Amino acid sequence: MTETITAHKVQSAAAPPSLGGLGLFTVLLAAALPLIDFFIVNVALPTIGHDLAASESVLELVVAGYGLAYAVLLVLGGRLGDLFGRRRLFLGGMAAFGLTSLACGLAPSAWTLVSARVAQGAASAAMLPQVLATIQAATTGQRRAKAMGLYGATAGLSMVAGQILGGVLVAADIWGTGWRSVFLVNVPVVLVGLFLAVRAVPETRSQHPEPVDGPGTVLLAAALLTLLAPLTEGRAAGWPLWTWLSLAAFPFVAAAFYAVERRADRAGRTPLVPPSLFELVSLRRGLVMIVPFSIGFSGFMFVIAVALQQGAGLGPVGAGLALVPMAVAFFSVSLAGPRLVTRYGTRVVTAGAAVQAVGVGLIAVTAWRSWPDLGLLELLPGAAVAGAGQALQLPVVFRIVLSEVPPARAGVGSGVMITTQQSALALGVATLGTLFLSLVPGVGMRDALVTTLLVQLAGVALTGLLSLRLPRTVG
């Protein structure tokens, strides 16, 4: 009898961790928070600027400071989860996210808010890679496919919902908090998330933990900063000399990062981003496709928020509600995504790009013909069609990127993917946002909006072409 009990204990100890329904809900809740907070401030920026007497360049930092810290530290966050335990990093990152959200909501000045946003981005970088890594390590087969599909749906919906929620909260002015509520709302959500995570999220870690790659971490951070900092701050700062020097340094820093990582890999050490990871065709081609998709997505969200508030004269609520059809269509279509992929493979992504192109085209035509009378009803057809197209792309591409990554490298794999996405989101605001704001003084708000939408349409066409190179089936 004793031997039977002992054998049972050994078997239980050796059993792989399993992520149940409540645990999946908890990690998806955590996945939504950083993405919502990237977009939630778009419609709150005018109010923040007025209340804190912040200049345009400082307001840019409220967005860019969060995005930069988030992007720079994501891969490191994934590696630390592999090393010290993903549940431990998840809980610590979520607690830090709640505290930094509270600091943002109570910020007495613009620069205090910028500092708190940088810290909030760092907390997000510790928390978010553990979500995908836990899904990869604690699910298998159809359960993993379903979980990855839900993660993609959550990510896409969060990016739209953040802007809608921001508008509603600013206008509601709950207990006189105004714009501060867009940050304070995170605190009770984090408390619920921590309560659930302690009970439902299993601990996972790499079976062969790998030490942190110091030189690689520093060089990756430097490469991302030299690219993203001047692009996000350049226009508002008037393109000073440092922005051009930084952009000129980027290719050299990126080349140094690749050389250091390759040398470490060949010497048998473990680099921060193993070059061998990019030998996986699914990961490499999926990452390439994420870039234009995310640039177009974030650029559109920023531009439409400015155009609807400053050009069409809508308030925060109206600007947010105009995107409801996109959110509803995204959520509804994403639920059917896994079944469509099972039947048609990755050609679903190509079809999604075509559908999104039709939606963006409808929005451009509507803006051209109806300006400045744009609102929920006018934008409904285009926004709904574009949302449906996006839902056929993003969740599937996320699954493709991580489909061949071994569980032992789940943390670094998810970190690389989210870093690529987050960097592209920041680039979208920097490129399409800068294009739009630069055109407005010369051609007016309507023509600037239509031109920017046509540029985004070219990006959608590019994602469609890139999707033809994806593996036909998803593992």
Side-chain angles (χ1 to χ4, degrees):
M1 181 68 177
T2 304
E3 291 177 358
T4 303
I5 294 173
T6 303
H8 177 72
K9 286 182 177 179
V10 171
Q11 185 177 3
S12 300
S18 178
L19 185 67
L22 184 60
L24 179 60
F25 170 81
T26 304
V27 296
L28 292 180
L29 176 68
L33 288 174
L35 289 168
I36 286 175
D37 264 59
F38 184 82
F39 289 93
I40 200 170
V41 297
N42 279 350
V43 292
L45 287 176
T47 312
I48 293 173
H50 180 268
D51 190 28
L52 298 182
S55 66
E56 184 180 356
S57 60
V58 175
L59 289 178
E60 290 267 3
L61 280 174
V62 172
V63 179
Y66 175 84
L68 285 171
Y70 187 16
V72 164
L73 296 173
L74 272 165
V75 177
L76 178 62
R79 171 59 61 82
L80 291 175
D82 288 348
L83 185 61
F84 296 110
R86 292 155 190 150
R87 180 176 181 269
R88 182 181 299 178
L89 262 289
F90 178 81
L91 290 170
M94 180 176 273
F97 186 86
L99 291 172
T100 52
S101 296
L102 181 63
C104 289
L106 300 178
S109 67
W111 283 107
T112 307
L113 177 58
V114 169
S115 301
R117 283 284 282 174
V118 171
Q120 190 186 36
S124 298
M127 174 175 65
L128 191 57
Q130 318 317 325
V131 173
L132 281 169
T134 299
I135 290 174
Q136 284 290 100
T139 60
T140 56
Q142 282 300 113
R143 290 187 66 248
R144 180 184 294 175
K146 182 179 179 181
M148 287 300 301
L150 288 172
Y151 174 85
T154 301
L157 186 62
S158 299
M159 291 189 279
V160 182
Q163 211 139 302
I164 298 171
L165 182 62
V168 171
L169 287 173
V170 170
D173 193 22
I174 302 169
W175 298 316
T177 55
W179 60 266
R180 298 178 186 277
S181 61
V182 305
F183 302 112
L184 295 176
V185 71
N186 291 332
V187 177
V189 177
V190 164
L191 291 175
V192 171
L194 288 171
F195 176 81
L196 295 176
V198 168
R199 286 157 177 76
V201 176
E203 179 64 282
T204 64
R205 69 179 69 202
S206 174
Q207 294 299 313
H208 305 285
E210 300 161 339
V212 172
D213 171 18
T217 301
V218 172
L219 284 170
L220 177 62
L224 290 172
L225 284 171
T226 54
L227 175 65
L228 297 178
L231 288 177
T232 52
E233 277 297 294
R235 188 198 62 81
W239 296 107
L241 179 61
W242 72 264
T243 58
W244 298 109
L245 293 176
S246 181
L247 287 172
F250 167 70
F252 298 102
V253 180
F257 169 70
Y258 177 75
V260 166
E261 298 298 272
R262 191 174 182 183
R263 189 180 305 119
D265 212 9
R266 288 178 172 176
R269 299 191 301 273
T270 304
L272 181 71
V273 180
S276 57
L277 204 61
F278 293 92
E279 294 173 5
L280 300 174
V281 174
S282 55
L283 180 136
R284 187 174 66 248
R285 293 182 179 177
L287 288 179
V288 169
M289 189 180 163
I290 283 176
V291 173
F293 180 91
S294 299
I295 287 174
F297 196 108
S298 65
F300 170 82
M301 298 298 287
F302 175 80
V303 167
I304 203 71
V306 175
L308 292 180
Q309 288 191 87
Q310 297 183 10
L314 299 181
V317 174
L321 291 180
L323 297 174
V324 166
M326 180 177 285
V328 172
F330 189 103
F331 180 72
S332 302
V333 174
S334 65
L335 294 179
R339 293 193 299 274
L340 292 173
V341 171
T342 300
R343 184 170 181 180
Y344 300 107
T346 58
R347 289 299 173 259
V348 169
V349 180
T350 309
V355 172
Q356 185 188 1
V358 172
V360 174
L362 286 173
I363 294 172
V365 171
T366 302
W368 177 264
R369 296 179 60 182
S370 302
W371 185 266
D373 299 319
L374 292 182
L376 174 62
L377 293 178
E378 290 80 10
L379 292 175
L380 191 153
V385 173
Q390 290 163 348
L392 293 174
Q393 297 173 79
L394 191 63
V396 183
V397 174
F398 280 170
R399 277 182 61 189
I400 291 168
V401 169
L402 296 179
S403 61
E404 295 180 299
V405 176
R409 286 185 164 175
V412 67
S414 61
V416 168
M417 186 183 79
I418 305 169
T419 297
T420 302
Q421 182 200 21
Q422 183 60 38
S423 300
L425 289 175
L427 281 173
V429 176
T431 53
L432 292 181
T434 296
L435 172 66
F436 171 73
L437 294 173
S438 300
L439 289 173
V440 169
V443 302
M445 189 76 74
R446 183 196 71 170
D447 289 0
L449 174 60
V450 171
T451 301
T452 307
L453 288 171
L454 292 177
V455 173
Q456 186 196 355
L457 199 56
V460 174
L462 177 60
T463 61
L465 292 173
L466 290 172
S467 71
L468 296 173
R469 301 184 70 246
L470 293 174
R472 290 300 299 267
T473 58
V474 184

